[in-house]
Amino acid sequence: MPRAKRSKQYRKLMEQFSMGWGFREPYQVLVDADFIAEANKCKMDLVKRLEDTLHGQVKPMITQCSMRHLYERKSEPGVEAAIELAKNHFERRRCGHHPNEYPKPLSTLECLHSVVDPKDNGVNRHRYVCAINEDAVRATLRRVAGTPLLFIRRSVMIMEPMATVSANARSKDERRKFRAELKTPGGKRKREEDNDDSEGDQDEDVKRATGEAPAGTGKPEKKKKKKTYGRKEPNPLAVKKKKPPKPASGGQGPKKTETKEVAVPEGAETTGEPKPKRRRKHKGSSVSTPGEAPAAVPHSNPGVEVHAVGAED
């Protein structure tokens, strides 16, 4: 298991390869004879270690020439187990170098280069991850853009940083995408096109307001009424609600006095003096209640005294 800092670098590196060249899981890993022999010598679980390094599922592959190299080294200690591992767990990648046409297997450099870059145009067309221990082969494959490289040193699997050719190709592709966003297929930039459209719209609005005919027509255009959508009223939640009128109570509360106008005959003269008010007489004020003495009535003759006689029970 790689360390945390190195593991984070490998994950970011694989994300860059995925965005730039379209690498997807399971990653196709091309393994040479030296790499698999070194992994078996270190007693390394090769498939598990590849998945930890690349942060994804892998599909290990080996070419026919690499298998022939392993069979030639069969007498060496530990190679027999490497052959069994390659035969049972690795997919065979046909490189086209058949034993009938090539009695001796091609070198690792020639074989892998023909698989990774068959047209020799400097592009990793099939998106292979190359696990190679030979320094000369890795130096050659660094010239092929978009090729991740792995190797084993002291029982540690290491992933090389992105090569200069691959980094330049990736930055060039990003600049091309950025320019493509700024420009339209017609060759104009977006800002220029927006300015042209806005100027054209302003000219048309001026012509419509003045009643002039637009270009290509002899008749002035009629003003089209804008279609209104929905009610154009204030927000009902922001308007103060009207208070409902209070219902008239039956017999309760003060009643409003209605003033009636009196018809005045034509011949009658009207004066500015107000009509005297009529006073109401209270009948119950002069009647005395039982148990109370009647009130003394004033007499016209001051010398005669009048006494009130109380009612006998």
Side-chain angles (χ1 to χ4, degrees), residues 205-264:
D205 293 341
V206 171
K207 287 180 181 179
R208 286 173 185 168
T210 54
E212 295 180 9
T217 59
K219 298 179 181 180
E221 270 192 357
K222 293 182 180 180
K223 293 182 179 179
K224 293 183 180 180
K225 293 183 179 180
K226 291 184 178 180
K227 197 172 184 180
T228 57
Y229 297 93
R231 298 174 62 187
K232 300 295 181 182
E233 293 183 357
N235 186 1
L237 300 176
V239 177
K240 190 176 181 181
K241 293 183 179 179
K242 294 181 180 180
K243 293 182 179 180
K246 294 181 180 179
S249 58
Q252 296 179 1
K255 294 183 179 180
K256 293 183 179 179
T257 57
E258 297 180 358
T259 57
K260 295 183 180 179
E261 295 182 359
V262 181
V264 181

Side-chain angles (χ1 to χ4, degrees), residues 10 42 53 105 116 153 181 184 193 200 210 223 251-252 281:
Y10 295 165
C42 299
T53 305
V116 174
R153 284 289 182 275
E181 290 179 357
T184 58
E193 188 175 345
T210 54
K223 293 182 179 179
Q252 296 179 1
K281 293 181 180 180

Side-chain angles (χ1 to χ4, degrees), residues 6-282:
R6 193 164 60 236
S7 175
K8 188 176 180 180
Q9 292 174 355
Y10 295 165
R11 179 174 53 80
K12 288 185 177 181
L13 194 57
M14 288 309 300
E15 286 177 359
Q16 292 176 2
F17 280 111
S18 299
M19 290 186 292
W21 288 275
F23 280 76
R24 295 290 180 270
E25 294 184 31
Y27 301 118
Q28 301 181 104
V29 184
L30 271 177
V31 182
D32 71 332
D34 292 339
F35 189 90
I36 192 171
E38 184 69 21
N40 190 66
K41 181 181 176 182
C42 299
K43 297 182 180 180
M44 183 186 296
D45 187 357
L46 189 55
V47 178
K48 180 68 169 58
R49 193 63 63 86
L50 286 171
E51 289 179 350
D52 292 342
T53 305
L54 299 177
H55 291 273
Q57 296 179 355
V58 297
K59 185 195 291 185
M61 310 174 77
I62 189 168
T63 61
Q64 292 176 340
C65 294
S66 296
M67 284 299 298
R68 292 168 69 184
H69 287 308
L70 285 175
Y71 279 114
E72 287 179 355
R73 298 168 56 182
K74 191 174 181 180
S75 58
E76 296 180 10
V79 178
E80 186 72 29
I83 293 172
E84 292 298 324
L85 177 65
K87 283 170 62 176
N88 298 328
H89 298 90
F90 284 26
E91 183 179 328
R92 189 69 60 88
R93 175 63 168 87
R94 295 181 180 178
C95 57
H97 307 139
H98 202 268
N100 296 333
E101 299 177 2
Y102 301 90
K104 287 186 178 182
L106 295 181
S107 64
T108 306
L109 175 59
E110 293 175 347
C111 181
L112 291 183
H113 192 274
S114 66
V115 173
V116 174
D117 187 13
K119 295 185 178 181
D120 202 13
N121 54 1
V123 179
N124 185 5
R125 181 183 175 186
H126 300 288
R127 304 176 186 89
Y128 289 119
V129 179
C130 296
I132 303 166
N133 257 22
E134 292 185 19
D135 296 337
V137 180
R138 289 203 313 275
T140 305
L141 292 179
R142 287 192 198 106
R143 302 171 190 170
V144 181
T147 308
L149 298 172
L150 302 173
F151 62 95
I152 295 174
R153 284 289 182 275
R154 295 180 182 177
S155 70
V156 177
M157 189 176 293
I158 300 172
M159 185 177 184
E160 285 191 0
M162 188 178 290
T164 307
V165 176
S166 300
N168 293 339
R170 181 171 173 270
S171 60
K172 184 179 179 181
D173 188 51
E174 287 182 353
R175 286 196 300 268
R176 181 183 59 79
K177 289 179 182 178
F178 181 71
R179 289 171 184 169
E181 290 179 357
L182 293 178
K183 292 186 178 182
T184 58
K188 285 187 176 182
R189 290 189 176 183
K190 283 189 176 181
R191 290 181 181 177
E192 295 176 2
E193 188 175 345
D194 294 342
N195 292 336
D196 294 344
D197 294 342
S198 60
E199 289 176 4
D201 294 340
Q202 290 176 1
D203 295 341
E204 289 181 4
D205 293 341
V206 171
K207 287 180 181 179
R208 286 173 185 168
T210 54
E212 295 180 9
T217 59
K219 298 179 181 180
E221 270 192 357
K222 293 182 180 180
K223 293 182 179 179
K224 293 183 180 180
K225 293 183 179 180
K226 291 184 178 180
K227 197 172 184 180
T228 57
Y229 297 93
R231 298 174 62 187
K232 300 295 181 182
E233 293 183 357
N235 186 1
L237 300 176
V239 177
K240 190 176 181 181
K241 293 183 179 179
K242 294 181 180 180
K243 293 182 179 180
K246 294 181 180 179
S249 58
Q252 296 179 1
K255 294 183 179 180
K256 293 183 179 179
T257 57
E258 297 180 358
T259 57
K260 295 183 180 179
E261 295 182 359
V262 181
V264 181
E266 295 181 358
E269 293 182 0
T270 57
T271 58
E273 294 180 0
K275 190 175 180 180
K277 293 183 180 179
R278 184 180 177 183
R279 293 182 180 178
R280 186 176 180 181
K281 293 181 180 180
H282 298 283

